[in-house]
Amino acid sequence: LGGSDTVEFPIKFTPKYPGSYHCQILLKSSSDIRVYEIECVVNAEQTDAQLEFLTPAFQAVTQEIPITNKSKEDWRFEAVLEGHCFHGPLVLNVPVGETVQYPLTFKPVAE
């Protein structure tokens, strides 16, 4: 191909859900056999969200945030909370096909 030793091999991939997709491509010729392994990772669309907490001083309020796993693998999240007065589990496990509530708590220490 004009001095180039590469060949384009277009692949169309149309996933229905977020997750990790594995594929093997087997190429054969009369003098060679090659197997290529491909992994495609599909992320869900990013959605911006905003939570507003209204509570009297020193009184905690908790908001349950639903996390739905539509992939084919169990998920394990490690939560990193930034900001004062916010609390929640450091780890959240979401099994395949389930929705788990993440309890985010805001407990103000002043007005």
Side-chain angles (χ1 to χ4, degrees):
L1 296 176
S4 174
D5 61 353
T6 62
V7 175
E8 288 188 27
F9 191 79
I11 297 173
K12 183 176 181 179
F13 177 65
T14 311
K16 291 184 179 180
Y17 303 106
S20 179
Y21 296 84
H22 300 270
C23 174
Q24 282 189 344
I25 299 172
L26 175 65
L27 300 177
K28 293 183 185 179
S29 74
S30 59
S31 62
D32 194 11
I33 297 177
R34 295 179 188 221
V35 178
Y36 293 91
E37 294 200 12
I38 296 175
E39 178 183 8
C40 297
V41 177
V42 179
N43 297 318
E45 287 184 31
Q46 296 244 335
T47 303
D48 291 334
Q50 183 174 347
L51 298 176
E52 184 174 326
F53 291 89
L54 298 174
T55 184
F58 307 108
Q59 185 174 336
V61 62
T62 299
Q63 173 70 50
E64 300 282 340
I65 301 170
I67 308 292
T68 302
N69 183 353
K70 293 182 181 178
S71 76
K72 295 181 180 180
E73 295 180 20
D74 291 341
W75 289 346
R76 181 182 186 276
F77 290 99
E78 292 184 15
V80 177
L81 299 177
E82 296 181 359
H84 300 291
C85 307
F86 288 95
H87 307 279
L90 298 178
V91 175
L92 183 71
N93 294 302
V94 185
V96 171
E98 292 189 20
T99 298
V100 174
Q101 301 292 330
Y102 182 84
L104 179 61
T105 300
F106 176 66
K107 186 174 183 181
V109 294
E111 284 189 43

